[in-house]
Amino acid sequence: MAAAAHAAALTWTGDTGDIKGATILLVDDVSTSGSQLQQVALRLRTSGAADVRGLVLARVPWSG
């Protein structure tokens, strides 16, 4: 899954202690399936974030 590989390639340059117990808002300009936001959120939760929310500015229309 490409989204999981992309999320795994992200690196945190700050103090990883900042993630533990934090509430984090992820902002994405365009969402297609939502899988990228989901994978990054899962990685942040695994790293100790208490809550991860997503905000998407635009969504690609459903095809079907």
Side-chain angles (χ1 to χ4, degrees), residues 3-10 19 24-28 34-47 49 52-53:
H6 291 152
L10 297 173
I19 297 173
I24 298 173
L25 175 64
L26 296 174
V27 179
D28 196 358
S35 62
Q36 187 67 50
L37 276 175
Q38 181 181 27
Q39 291 299 316
V40 172
L42 288 171
R43 185 153 179 225
L44 287 166
R45 291 297 304 266
T46 301
S47 298
V52 180
R53 302 289 173 114

Side-chain angles (χ1 to χ4, degrees), residues 4-26:
H6 291 152
L10 297 173
T11 57
W12 179 258
T13 59
D15 181 0
T16 55
D18 292 341
I19 297 173
K20 294 187 185 339
T23 298
I24 298 173
L25 175 64
L26 296 174

